[in-house]
Amino acid sequence: GIGVYLMLATGVELLYILRNGLLRLLGNIFEHKAAVNLYITSNYLFHMVEATVVVILLFPLFYLPGGREAMHYIIAGFISLAFAWRFIRGLKFFLTLPNSSSFYLFYYLCIVELIPILVLIKWFLYNGSAS
């Protein structure tokens, strides 16, 4: 119902705010404040475009009763490709900074990108096997 949706939406928003806060903290610690601000702004614009496309792709779910499963796969594929594209773009962005190193890249990958995804996968696998 609406309560579950509101809890999910609030959780996603809080994770997004926490992620951006962590990025800003790392930017201040490693003295890349301007680059991190540019990266966060770029991600924000990327998410807005992605949300617009997903909303358009959601309309057939309501009006095509036979194509729901196919649309689920299309939307999941689009979100996966968009995440991969944003991930590669972020890697390229941080590797082109003048005084960046693989140490900074390791922190970025572990703290901001991979660990939350691994936690979500573990959570989904645990909850999926419990039912």
Side-chain angles (χ1 to χ4, degrees), residues 16-88:
Y16 189 73
I17 290 170
L18 179 67
R19 178 182 175 269
N20 285 343
L22 223 79
L23 274 172
R24 290 184 195 278
L25 177 67
L26 289 174
N28 285 334
I29 290 172
F30 296 119
E31 299 174 358
H32 288 298
K33 186 188 272 187
V36 168
N37 287 336
L38 181 65
Y39 178 71
I40 289 174
T41 303
S42 171
N43 275 343
Y44 177 74
L45 293 174
F46 193 82
H47 290 150
M48 295 304 282
V49 169
E50 183 180 353
T52 304
V53 171
V54 168
V55 165
I56 292 169
L57 289 175
L58 284 175
F59 284 121
L61 285 176
F62 299 112
Y63 299 112
L64 297 175
R68 288 186 177 189
E69 188 173 338
M71 283 307 294
H72 282 246
Y73 289 122
I74 291 171
I75 291 171
F78 173 74
I79 290 173
S80 299
L81 286 174
F83 177 79
W85 183 20
R86 186 180 59 86
F87 183 74
I88 291 169

